[in-house]
Amino acid sequence: GDPKRVVLMGHSAGAHLISLINSDPAFAKDAGAGAWLAAVSLDSGAYDVEAIMKRRHMSLFDKAFGKDKTFWRAASPIRRIGGKPAPMLLVCSSRGRDSCGQAQAFKAALDKEKAAATVAPEDLSHREINLNLGQANPYTKRVDAFLQAQGLP
């Protein structure tokens, strides 16, 4: 494929991972990967793992992130912003308790580093954020518009 047309996209835990990689492109560069055009995070609930783990949280976070406070910080995209992150679209469920709040905080951190980010609240459940993308609806048009603004057809 054309490396100038690669976009990272992930949902939920996948959104956390692409956000982490995009926040600090050195992760991928050190593994031999080239640059990508943009990133689309579909309803991540873990932009700031360190903060999540210090308050009451779902048990699935304990399984995913353990008890190592150093690891929590390293696994937090909001704490790893460096280099030149690609533009990001942060889709969040406005039905979730904290999804859009986390996305806004992450965007604010990216803004401080002069990295382009847009928060896209959607009145969809966490599951629907994944299932409805690609269908003929305003949500898909919003994601497509972001991708087109990055130079994709």
Side-chain angles (χ1 to χ4, degrees):
D2 182 350
K4 293 181 174 111
R5 297 172 50 109
V6 172
V7 173
L8 304 180
M9 184 182 293
H11 174 256
S12 196
H16 167 255
L17 293 173
I18 67 101
S19 297
L20 188 61
I21 291 168
N22 197 65
S23 291
D24 186 0
F27 278 135
K29 185 178 179 185
D30 291 348
W36 47 90
L37 191 58
V40 180
S41 174
L42 303 173
D43 210 32
S44 173
Y47 293 116
D48 191 343
V49 174
E50 185 177 34
I52 291 166
M53 298 304 285
K54 290 180 179 178
R55 64 178 187 256
R56 189 176 172 151
H57 55 269
M58 293 183 290
S59 62
L60 69 92
F61 288 106
D62 293 320
K63 292 176 187 171
F65 300 112
K67 297 182 185 296
D68 182 346
K69 293 177 183 177
T70 303
F71 179 72
W72 297 346
R73 186 171 190 79
S76 297
I78 200 168
R79 310 238 182 248
R80 297 296 302 258
I81 300 169
K84 186 168 178 11
M88 290 194 79
L89 180 64
L90 309 171
V91 177
C92 59
S93 170
S94 61
R95 295 181 190 174
R97 289 187 316 178
D98 193 35
S99 178
C100 289
Q102 284 193 54
Q104 290 288 358
F106 186 42
K107 179 195 182 322
L110 288 164
D111 287 348
K112 285 182 184 176
E113 299 299 321
K114 309 243 186 302
T118 302
V119 175
E122 292 293 334
D123 184 21
L124 299 168
S125 70
H126 180 69
R127 183 173 183 264
E128 290 168 337
I129 292 282
N130 193 39
L131 291 177
N132 291 3
L133 185 59
Q135 297 178 11
N137 58 44
Y139 164 44
T140 297
K141 287 180 183 174
R142 191 172 186 178
V143 173
D144 284 347
F146 170 79
L147 295 173
Q148 289 169 358
Q150 308 316 310
L152 291 176

